[in-house]
Each structure stands twice: as structure tokens, then as C-alpha cells.
Amino acid sequence: MNFELVKFDTVTKTYNTNGAIHTDAKVLGYHIVNTGSCIVWVNNLPLYPSGVLDTMYSGYKDASLYNLRFEVGGINPEVTVITFNQKQ
């Protein structure tokens, strides 16, 4: 088996309001961590405090659009997203 190495860099951003995670054509995948203390819904999938959703897999490119929705009445809504971007 031959594997081709892909060069990438990362960008880390924190979200604390409902809405879409930033994306563009260079994105390979995401590492989404609930760093707050309330449940956040990622495309209708619950992510509990300290929970992780990882979409960065070797050989794949995630073209999904992810939307965040924080639990109503939650205290300290916060999600940290590490975005893996392909370098040219």
C-alpha cells in the first residue's frame, strides 16, 4: 500500500452562539469539542460537556456543513473547533 501524505495546518476557533461552523474548500475535517457545561447539538446530534466529534480521517475530505445549537437555558455554552485545512 502506498499512502500519499497531505500537508495541512490547523485553525482553532471557539463558538458560544447558535449557528454554522466556518468552512471553506480547503477543509479536510474537524475536531469538535464541547468545552462548555451544557449540551450542544451538532446537526441534531447531542454533544455533552467534554464530548468530542472528530471528522478528520486519513484519505477523506469532510464536505459537511455543521450547525451548532446550544441547549436552551444552558450555562456556559462553548464549543472549541479545530479545523484541518489542506495546504497547497
Side-chain angles (χ1 to χ4, degrees), residues 2-40:
N2 285 336
F3 291 99
E4 185 177 329
L5 297 177
V6 176
K7 294 180 181 180
F8 65 89
D9 59 12
T10 60
V11 175
T12 303
K13 184 173 181 179
T14 300
Y15 296 84
N16 55 20
T17 58
N18 296 340
I21 291 174
H22 174 77
T23 189
D24 64 39
K26 299 183 301 182
V27 172
L28 295 171
Y30 304 92
H31 186 76
I32 303 168
V33 183
N34 185 345
T35 48
S37 59
C38 69
I39 297 172
V40 62

Side-chain angles (χ1 to χ4, degrees), residues 23-87:
T23 189
D24 64 39
K26 299 183 301 182
V27 172
L28 295 171
Y30 304 92
H31 186 76
I32 303 168
V33 183
N34 185 345
T35 48
S37 59
C38 69
I39 297 172
V40 62
W41 297 84
V42 182
N43 289 3
N44 296 319
L45 175 72
L47 192 60
Y48 292 86
S50 301
V52 175
L53 175 62
D54 197 0
T55 73
M56 178 61 183
Y57 295 101
S58 178
Y60 294 91
K61 184 171 182 169
D62 186 352
S64 302
L65 176 62
Y66 292 100
N67 285 293
L68 304 174
R69 182 175 47 88
F70 293 93
E71 190 74 23
V72 174
I75 298 171
N76 187 31
E78 182 179 273
V79 169
T80 300
V81 178
I82 301 170
T83 305
F84 296 84
N85 298 308
Q86 185 172 359
K87 292 179 90 173

